[in-house]
Amino acid sequence: MSFDLSARLAERRAAHLYRQRPLLESPQQPEMLVDGLRLLAFCSNDYLGLASHPEVIAAMQQGAATWGVGGGASHLVIGHSTPHHQLEEALAEFTGRPRALLFSTGYMANLAAVTALVGQGDTVLEDRLNHASLLDAGLLSGARFSRYLHNDAESLAKRLEKASGNTLVVTDGVFSMDGDLADLPAICATAKQRGAWVMVDDAHGFGPLGATGGGIVEQFGLGMDDVPVLVGTLGKAFGTAGAFVAGSEELIETLIQFARPYIYTTSQPPAVACATLKSLELLRSEGWRREHLNRLVARFREGATHIGLTLIDSPTPIQPVLVGSSERALRLSALLRERGILVGAIRPPTVPAGSARLRITFTAAHSDAQLERLLEALAECWALLPKESDDA
């Protein structure tokens, strides 16, 4: 007996679900060289335009010159360097929490937090539309795992009634494929009534949301009593790489002692931490980036509605255009690419069947003129797109 991998791949191709990696041949910026073509891109999560910022680049270069290019070992052996420590202190101060802990990726941070906090005999309840890393963490924790209806506090309450042991309620802050916000006030109030903890992965909220870019918790005026476990990633609005968990002294020490993805992984390069310290400084001091993003989003929603596109209620830089079938989504993406616009088609299983979409994302580096070019191309391509019933 052998693995029939070719049949699996052929099946995926036939269903218009085959994925291919675009080859980026230039830095992260609005105009990119992709697969040899110069394209205007609206698919990066570099929301504040910091990934190619000269000061962030210089900080990383200086960090590499001072600290070398490798972490060397896990944090608990000899890989926890001064830049890592300084960044953890800065992120704790930024989030208004006693401690923060660095991770190499957001996937690892989520896996670490959930599996270190709950296990056999406990309960983990998650939003149905949570990121794959959160869902995987719930499944791998060994705890009783259940998913409540999207953003539905009543559905959560029903599941909390059946919970046993320590109970962790887990939600994205901004849902990455829809761009909508978690109803945190209702989710936190419901969890608190049952003595459950809330964990929020605010990967897409830090930077764009909140008065100072502090994310969804700041936006809703919530504190550590409401959200004891706060996760953020550094590869999106921060423009660098890695992730962090922020919370109480006891939470962070618990993760250091029991979180296997933290204990058994080499630390990120110290130079990345140096770069992130600079990007955090820019995130906090240059509020115009968030203001410009908000203007771009408002103008896009106005223009897209005029074209007749179907949008989701999203106040964030993530602006999905619902298309329907995977085939139509791929066709619309291809039509845009022919006109020099790069937007990715998101298909099942990332999103539910029948809800394939273009996931348009904006950054503070996009200009007003580039946005108008996108709207013009969308209007032209939407008119050329076959209706759902016309698809073969």
Side-chain angles (χ1 to χ4, degrees):
M1 185 175 180
S2 61
F3 292 97
D4 189 357
L5 302 184
S6 59
R8 290 178 65 188
L9 294 173
E11 182 180 341
R12 176 150 285 205
R13 281 188 188 275
H16 305 287
L17 299 179
Y18 201 83
R19 291 172 167 85
Q20 293 176 289
R21 300 177 299 174
L23 180 60
L24 178 61
E25 302 171 73
S26 63
Q28 288 287 336
Q29 52 198 13
E31 292 193 4
M32 301 180 181
L33 189 63
V34 182
D35 296 328
L37 300 174
R38 182 67 61 181
L39 300 171
L40 175 57
F42 291 91
C43 48
S44 173
N45 295 330
D46 180 27
Y47 299 127
L48 298 184
L50 296 177
S52 299
H53 194 288
E55 292 183 39
V56 178
I57 293 171
M60 189 160 181
Q61 291 171 332
Q62 182 58 50
T66 304
W67 298 97
V69 295
S74 68
H75 284 274
L76 288 171
V77 178
I78 195 62
H80 187 65
S81 66
T82 299
H84 297 134
H85 202 71
Q86 291 173 337
L87 179 55
E88 287 181 344
E89 291 178 335
L91 289 168
E93 194 272 331
F94 174 56
T95 57
R97 290 162 185 250
R99 293 280 300 276
L101 191 67
L102 271 180
F103 288 85
S104 296
T105 70
Y107 203 110
M108 287 177 53
N110 284 334
L111 194 62
V114 175
T115 57
L117 291 175
V118 293
Q120 194 167 4
D122 296 324
T123 304
V124 58
L125 304 174
E126 301 203 18
D127 190 293
R128 291 192 67 83
L129 297 188
N130 272 356
H131 188 267
S133 61
L134 294 172
L135 300 176
D136 287 354
L139 289 168
L140 291 170
S141 69
R144 181 179 178 181
F145 176 58
S146 180
R147 297 160 72 181
Y148 59 90
L149 297 178
H150 176 52
N151 244 350
D152 191 326
E154 186 176 334
S155 174
L156 171 61
K158 291 177 181 176
R159 284 160 177 75
L160 282 167
E161 290 174 3
K162 303 174 184 177
S164 59
N166 292 321
T167 301
L168 186 65
V169 176
V170 184
T171 181
D172 276 322
V174 175
F175 292 91
S176 59
M177 291 301 117
D178 288 357
D180 59 332
L181 306 184
D183 186 3
L184 272 194
I187 297 296
C188 292
T190 302
K192 194 175 289 188
Q193 288 173 358
R194 293 283 174 172
W197 270 22
V198 173
M199 170 178 160
V200 174
D201 174 10
D202 203 24
H204 299 270
F206 279 110
L209 298 181
T212 66
I216 193 168
V217 171
E218 181 184 47
Q219 178 124 335
F220 283 124
L222 302 173
M224 199 163 67
D225 288 344
D226 305 294
V227 181
V229 188
L230 181 59
V231 180
T233 55
L234 305 173
K236 298 177 176 65
F238 288 85
T240 56
F244 65 93
V245 178
S248 67
E249 178 80 27
E250 292 77 13
L251 171 67
I252 300 308
E253 282 301 317
T254 297
L255 296 182
I256 291 172
Q257 300 302 320
F258 299 105
R260 292 166 66 86
Y262 180 80
I263 297 168
Y264 298 108
T265 300
T266 298
S267 64
Q268 65 172 215
V272 175
C274 295
T276 307
L277 279 164
K278 175 55 68 173
S279 68
L280 175 58
E281 177 188 319
L282 294 169
L283 183 155
R284 302 188 75 174
S285 64
E286 298 187 348
W288 65 264
R289 295 178 182 273
R290 281 183 297 282
E291 294 166 6
H292 179 56
L293 264 181
N294 289 335
R295 287 195 298 270
L296 289 175
V297 168
R299 170 60 189 135
F300 171 77
R301 293 185 67 83
E302 175 190 40
T305 301
H306 181 73
I307 294 169
L309 305 180
T310 302
L311 303 178
I312 293 174
D313 185 15
S314 168
T316 73
I318 302 168
Q319 293 294 318
V321 174
L322 292 178
V323 180
S325 71
S326 296
E327 188 173 4
R328 290 185 83 227
L330 287 171
R331 178 60 179 154
L332 183 54
S333 178
L335 286 169
L336 287 168
R337 187 170 177 139
E338 289 171 6
R339 288 154 180 78
I341 306 287
L342 181 64
V343 180
I346 307 297
R347 295 157 285 158
T350 305
V351 295
S355 71
R357 66 201 59 185
L358 296 190
R359 181 180 180 271
I360 295 172
T361 56
F362 295 99
T363 82
H366 282 117
S367 68
D368 294 333
Q370 288 169 337
L371 168 59
E372 296 304 325
R373 182 179 160 194
L374 169 66
L375 287 170
E376 290 171 10
L378 274 170
E380 184 178 342
C381 295
W382 188 251
L384 296 173
L385 193 70
K387 302 299 181 188
E388 193 81 50
S389 58
D390 295 336
D391 285 347

